[in-house]
Each structure stands twice: as C-alpha cells, then as structure tokens.
C-alpha cells in the first residue's frame, strides 16, 4: 500500500490481502457512486439501496435501519429526500396505524430499474476478463468474507 496515496501499488508484492481488499472496496464504491450519479434521476448508493430494499418488501423505517445499520434519524432524512423527489411514498401500515409503510412510486420503480441495469452492466464488465475457473475459486472465499463482515456489523 502506497503511504502517499493510500492505494495499492501493483508493483508491490508485499501488499497484504486486507490492504488489497480495502483498496478494492474503496475503488468499487467510487465507481458505483459515479455510475449512479450519472443516471436520471441521479442517486446516491444509499438511495439506491433504500429503493432496492423497499422493492424487496422492507417497507418500514425500522426494517431499513436494521438492514443498513443506521440510526432512525439518518434513515429518516434519506427517506425524506426520496419522498421529496417523488421516488417513494409514505402510507400507514396494514398491521399498525403507528407504523409507516413505504412504497415505490412509478418514478421510483423506473429509477431502481435504471440503477439495476447500470450496475448489472458494471458487474458484468468487472468480471468479464476473469476466467470462469478463477471466478469459481474466488467466489466462495469472498462470500465467506462478506458473511464474516456482516456478522461483525450485526454484533454491534
């Protein structure tokens, strides 16, 4: 890892796996951010994830907070921006009048579809140059790492 730039030096064989993963995570986040910002309407990663999760059935603020490991005020601000943009609506839950139920608007569904297409294209391009055998070797280790990291978040 370069001390000047904080990035992985491809000529430095002394990079640890952790350093490479951190650098890769940062690079992938930056690229996702740029891709989503170029859409119409532009979105942040957080906004895209909220739309995805609401679409998947996580329609309460509490559920979104738990999934994102965010406090209610932070999540409420993000949801409010999506409501103001016309991408989400708020309603009353069928099971409890005190629980807010979020749903996608037509514009929200279109924005989510646009984000899905753009990120799907990006992920296809990301792995296009890797032989299938290498992908098959890497995937289980990365899945395990993801589960381990998620477990550390859940333990907080």
């Amino acid at each position: 890892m370069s001390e000047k730039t904080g990035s992985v030096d491809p000529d430095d064989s002394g990079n640890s796996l952790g350093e490479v993963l951190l650098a890769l995570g940062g690079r992938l986040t930056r690229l996702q951010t740029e891709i989503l910002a170029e859409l119409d309407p532009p979105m942040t990663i957080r906004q895209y994830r909220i739309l995805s999760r609401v679409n998947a059935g996580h329609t309460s603020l509490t559920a979104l907070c738990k999934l994102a490991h965010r406090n209610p005020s932070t999540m409420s601000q993000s949801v409010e921006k999506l409501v103001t943009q016309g991408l989400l609506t708020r309603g009353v839950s069928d099971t409890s009048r005190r629980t807010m139920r979020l749903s996608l608007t037509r514009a929200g569904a279109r924005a989510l579809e646009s984000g899905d297409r753009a990120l799907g294209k990006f992920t296809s391009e990301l792995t296009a140059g890797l032989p299938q055998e290498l992908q098959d070797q890497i995937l289980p280790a990365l899945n395990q790492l993801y589960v381990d990291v998620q477990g550390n978040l859940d333990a907080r």
Side-chain angles (χ1 to χ4, degrees), residues 60-62 91-101:
S60 74
L61 196 60
T62 303
V92 178
S93 169
D94 296 335
T95 58
S96 170
R97 292 181 316 179
R98 294 186 297 175
T99 303
M100 174 179 48
R101 185 180 62 79

Side-chain angles (χ1 to χ4, degrees), residues 56-120:
H58 305 283
T59 60
S60 74
L61 196 60
T62 303
L64 293 174
C65 289
K66 189 173 183 177
L67 285 168
H69 301 278
R70 297 283 182 252
N71 64 46
S73 65
T74 300
M75 187 58 67
S76 184
Q77 289 173 0
S78 296
V79 165
E80 180 59 34
K81 286 181 183 176
L82 290 167
V83 169
T84 301
Q85 288 178 294
L87 302 178
L88 284 179
T89 59
R90 283 195 196 98
V92 178
S93 169
D94 296 335
T95 58
S96 170
R97 292 181 316 179
R98 294 186 297 175
T99 303
M100 174 179 48
R101 185 180 62 79
L102 300 167
S103 58
L104 293 178
T105 63
R106 285 187 189 149
R110 285 192 304 271
L112 177 59
E113 287 173 18
S114 178
D116 286 344
R117 274 193 310 276
L119 292 178

Side-chain angles (χ1 to χ4, degrees), residues 21-50:
L21 288 171
L22 285 176
L24 178 61
R27 176 73 48 90
L28 292 174
T29 298
R30 178 177 162 214
L31 292 169
Q32 283 180 297
T33 300
E34 290 173 0
I35 289 166
L36 292 171
E38 292 174 358
L39 299 176
D40 183 27
M43 285 185 281
T44 65
I45 291 174
R46 182 180 293 169
Q47 289 171 328
Y48 172 77
R49 287 183 180 146
I50 290 170

Side-chain angles (χ1 to χ4, degrees), residues 121-138:
K121 181 178 183 235
F122 171 61
T123 58
S124 293
E125 292 168 355
L126 190 62
T127 57
L130 292 176
Q132 189 61 47
E133 183 178 310
L134 182 57
Q135 291 183 42
D136 293 344
Q137 292 172 350
I138 294 171

